Structures are given as C-alpha cells and as structure tokens.
Amino acid sequence: MAESDARLAYMADQIARNFAIQGEEAAVTATAEHIIAFWDPWMKQRGLALLDAGGDALTPLARRALERV
C-alpha cells in the first residue's frame, strides 16, 4: 500500500473513531457525510480504491462509511 493510501486509511479511521461515541450506525452515517463534504475528489477516489482492494487497512466503521460514499 502506498504511503498516501495508508494516510487516507488512517484519516478515515480517525474520523470514524471521533464519531463512534454516537453509536455504530450514527458513526457510519456521520463518517460518510464527513468524507463526502470534506474530502476532495482524489481522496474519495483513493478511499474507494482501498475498498476495492479489500479494505483490510480500514476499521469496520470506516469501511462501512466508505461503502456509503
């Protein structure tokens, strides 16, 4: 995995962790909304590519959020 992809996985996981206190479903929704609102198109594309590669670098919350993007 490229360093930039590892950084994106870390960022997605960090966002999901910050919303986790809201409960799983709310955290997934809030994380997806955050990614849609604040990530630029390249970041979204690379995040989706992480999913296509299996999503192993992502936590379950971040993986589910990216599936909604």
Side-chain angles (χ1 to χ4, degrees):
M1 176 183 336
E3 184 177 333
S4 59
D5 290 345
R7 180 72 179 141
L8 280 175
Y10 174 80
M11 290 171 64
D13 293 340
Q14 189 174 37
I15 294 163
R17 266 193 316 275
N18 285 326
F19 289 121
I21 194 145
Q22 298 177 2
E24 187 171 340
E25 284 306 312
V28 169
T29 299
T31 302
E33 289 173 352
H34 179 91
I35 289 169
I36 290 166
F38 297 107
W39 282 20
D40 67 34
W42 179 87
M43 293 169 73
K44 290 176 196 165
Q45 177 187 13
R46 293 307 308 153
L48 295 176
L50 288 172
L51 283 179
D52 290 342
D56 297 335
L58 301 162
T59 61
L61 281 178
R63 185 179 308 116
R64 288 185 56 212
L66 279 167
E67 289 170 352
R68 292 189 186 183
V69 170

